[in-house]
């Protein structure tokens, strides 16, 4: 079940592969995070990259979330979802000139700047328009997030942010650059961070940097501590919103500055499931079989991309002794393994399986490889479901081609 709705009924009606999201779970997760920071001025900027489906971002907008976007295309979706420009921060290690020309005139809450060159490009556009740009400097604190290397962003060798010394210099320079307004310092050290220590260290790093800024730098409006809070993909326990808030607030409180955070995964991940059907079973080793399902790296890239673990469960478990399965997708790549060496109740062709915790970085990272269409997505709310994104068709794909 997803809340009170049968997953089998949804799959029978809409077909598979299929993403199912629980509106109640998204609401509950947003409320828990918001409540955890309630003793301190704060704003939750939902990270669109986790899942930017219009219905979901509208739901979050309605709950009072602000937005964190990583491209002008996410920015456009955010505006269409109802987020005012003044509630949007724009991050991204490679904002093209075209993107900056589009973003600067909008009067965003901040453009999070990733290099001295980018700062100059923003300045030139703002000066030409005679409208100062609000910017935050993204620092690279050289902190190991201890997450998967592909989603760790806080080490000096990672491409993100500006080292502290240069960040301080740039912040000081902004005082003499009338086309720029420095409103915040930003940090984001990685995603799926499962221990509190790197998050607390990054917050302390920001607090120290803010305290060390020369007095010529006017007062900042807030600090932006990015996203990164991990979830328990194995079904165990994760850092709680309260522990997370306490770890960030302790170092930041003395600055007196409001906090912005950019949560993605922790709001959406556990609120979504990918439903797939078994399309084939064949022998693998003496003790295990391949189970081929109709969803793979094209629908959920995380296992192939970072050997990410997602629990996989039969929707209607059959009786009988557990069996050992290698659960693979249909895509023509050996890396298209959704679950390695899983021990599950017996499966048969046609059975439905649920790939859990797929709400974040699931559909958002889908591709059309092998000309596989983007899957249908439904949102369960108040005992019923609505299609929030229909399944892509070959016509949809070919409509871009000539
Ligand atoms: C700058 C920035 N903010 C926020 C996020 C969201 O992170 P998460 O989904 O781990 O909360 C990311 C993702 O990596 C990011 O790069």
């Amino acid at each position: 079940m997803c809340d009170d709705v049968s997953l089998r009924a949804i799959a029978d009606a809409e077909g598979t592969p299929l993403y199912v999201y629980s509106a109640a779970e998204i609401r509950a997760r947003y409320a828990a995070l918001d409540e955890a920071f309630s003793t301190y001025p704060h704003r939750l900027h939902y990270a669109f990259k986790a899942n930017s489906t219009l219905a979901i971002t509208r739901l979050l907008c309605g709950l009072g979330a602000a937005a964190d976007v990583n491209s002008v295309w996410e920015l456009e979706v955010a505006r269409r979802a109802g987020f005012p420009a003044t509630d949007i921060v724009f991050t991204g290690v490679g904002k093209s000139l075209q993107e900056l020309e589009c973003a600067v005139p909008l009067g965003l809450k901040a453009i999070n700047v990733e290099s001295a060159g980018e700062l100059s490009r923003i300045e030139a556009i703002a000066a030409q328009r005679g409208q100062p740009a609000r910017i935050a400097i993204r620092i690279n604190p050289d902190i190991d997030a201890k997450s998967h290397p592909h989603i760790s962003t806080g080490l000096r060798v990672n491409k993100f942010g500006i080292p502290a010394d240069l960040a301080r210099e740039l912040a000081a320079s902004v005082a003499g650059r009338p086309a720029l307004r420095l409103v915040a310092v930003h940090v984001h050290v990685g995603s799926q961070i499962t221990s509190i220590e790197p998050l607390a260290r990054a917050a302390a790093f920001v607090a120290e940097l803010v305290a060390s800024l020369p007095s010529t730098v006017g007062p900042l409006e807030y600090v932006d501590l990015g996203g990164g809070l991990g979830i328990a993909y194995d079904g165990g326990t994760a850092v709680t919103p309260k522990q997370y808030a306490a770890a960030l607030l302790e170092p930041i409180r003395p600055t007196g500055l409001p906090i912005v955070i950019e949560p993605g995964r922790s709001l959406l991940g556990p609120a979504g499931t990918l439903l797939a059907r078994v399309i084939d079973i064949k022998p693998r080793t003496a003790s295990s079989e391949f189970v081929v399902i109709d969803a793979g790296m094209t629908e959920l890239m995380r296992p192939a991309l970072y050997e990410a673990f997602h629990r996989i469960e039969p929707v209607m478990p059959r009786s009988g002794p557990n069996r050992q399965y290698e659960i693979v997708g249909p895509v023509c790549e050996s890396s298209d393994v959704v679950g390695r060496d899983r021990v599950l109740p017996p499966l048969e062709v046609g059975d439905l399986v649920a790939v859990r915790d797929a709400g974040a970085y699931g559909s958002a990272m889908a591709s059309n490889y092998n000309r596989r269409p983007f899957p249908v997505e439904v949102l369960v709310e108040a005992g019923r479901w609505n299609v929030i994104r229909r399944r892509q068709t070959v016509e949809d794909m070919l409509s871009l081609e000539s």
Side-chain angles (χ1 to χ4, degrees):
M1 307 292 281
C2 174
D3 302 333
D4 290 335
V5 179
S6 150
L7 291 177
R8 191 166 77 162
I10 302 175
D12 285 348
E14 306 296 345
T16 54
L18 159 80
Y19 274 99
V20 180
Y21 306 101
S22 159
E25 184 68 20
I26 296 169
R27 285 206 177 87
R29 290 187 158 265
Y30 183 85
L33 200 52
D34 198 32
E35 167 64 25
F37 283 91
S38 61
T39 60
Y40 195 80
H42 69 280
R43 197 79 202 272
L44 310 187
H45 280 246
Y46 170 62
F48 264 56
K49 62 174 72 72
N51 186 321
S52 58
T53 315
L54 199 52
I56 284 174
T57 54
R58 275 198 181 133
L59 169 65
L60 284 157
C61 186
L63 296 178
D68 160 41
V69 301
N70 206 68
S71 69
V72 285
W73 302 281
E74 279 186 359
L75 175 52
E76 179 60 23
V77 174
R79 298 181 76 214
R80 292 190 195 195
F83 292 88
T86 49
D87 275 357
I88 301 174
V89 296
F90 181 14
T91 321
V93 75
K95 305 176 201 79
S96 68
L97 193 56
Q98 216 180 357
E99 286 185 275
L100 291 175
E101 278 166 351
C102 169
V104 169
L106 296 177
L108 302 178
K109 177 160 166 171
I111 300 179
N112 295 339
V113 175
E114 299 258 358
S115 73
E118 185 177 76
L119 191 65
S120 300
R121 288 188 283 277
I122 294 170
E123 182 181 27
I125 297 166
Q128 200 191 16
R129 298 187 57 85
Q131 173 197 355
R134 294 167 57 84
I135 56 111
I137 292 183
R138 177 173 181 173
I139 54 167
N140 180 317
D142 199 20
I143 286 174
D144 185 356
K146 301 196 175 83
S147 184
H148 189 282
H150 293 185
I151 47 175
S152 294
T153 56
L155 284 172
R156 188 173 281 266
V157 292
N158 298 135
K159 65 182 174 180
F160 301 95
I162 301 173
D165 287 350
L166 180 57
R168 227 176 267 115
E169 240 175 71
L170 289 177
S173 79
V174 169
R177 299 164 79 171
L180 298 173
R181 261 191 66 201
L182 178 66
V183 296
V185 172
H186 175 236
V187 76
H188 171 81
V189 291
S191 193
Q192 184 52 15
I193 300 173
T194 50
S195 75
I196 208 73
E197 185 253 358
L199 295 162
R201 276 181 63 206
F205 193 95
V206 167
E208 275 165 36
L209 188 113
V210 167
S212 74
L213 291 176
S215 56
T216 48
V217 176
L220 301 180
E221 291 182 16
Y222 63 92
V223 290
D224 181 343
L225 301 181
L229 178 59
I231 60 173
Y233 281 104
D234 63 358
T237 51
V239 172
T240 65
K242 278 202 162 64
Q243 292 166 327
Y244 173 59
L248 300 194
L249 287 176
E250 194 194 313
I252 294 301
R253 236 178 246 284
T255 69
L257 293 173
I259 280 190
V260 157
I261 56 166
E262 301 167 350
R265 189 187 311 273
S266 56
L267 294 178
L268 254 294
T273 282
L274 174 61
L275 286 182
R277 252 183 228 287
V278 175
I279 50 183
D280 201 6
I281 300 179
K282 59 184 186 176
R284 180 178 174 238
T285 64
S287 57
S288 77
E289 291 162 295
F290 286 110
V291 170
V292 188
I293 59 175
D294 64 3
M297 64 193 289
T298 37
E299 289 72 32
L300 180 65
M301 198 199 273
R302 300 188 67 260
L305 189 61
Y306 349 98
E307 296 182 338
F309 176 90
H310 286 262
R311 285 174 292 157
I312 301 175
E313 298 167 359
V315 169
M316 315 274 288
R318 293 177 184 277
S319 55
N322 279 350
R323 301 183 63 92
Q324 191 159 347
Y325 293 125
E326 185 89 336
I327 304 195
V328 300
V331 174
C332 191
E333 296 286 328
S334 294
S335 60
D336 187 26
V337 176
V338 187
R340 287 192 191 279
D341 286 327
R342 300 302 172 89
V343 176
L344 293 177
L347 289 167
E348 291 184 15
V349 168
D351 284 359
L352 260 188
V353 295
V355 184
R356 304 284 305 271
D357 303 319
Y361 308 103
S363 76
M365 294 173 101
S367 86
N368 284 144
Y369 185 43
N370 285 186
R371 287 288 192 185
R372 293 176 55 77
F374 293 143
V376 62
E377 300 182 44
V378 308
L379 182 64
V380 171
E381 174 136 48
R384 51 195 297 263
W385 80 83
N386 288 306
V387 172
I388 58 170
R389 190 187 196 196
R390 70 168 166 80
R391 191 181 306 284
Q392 195 183 30
T393 64
V394 173
E395 280 68 35
D396 292 330
M397 283 184 229
L398 295 183
S399 67
L400 303 176
E401 299 180 26
S402 53

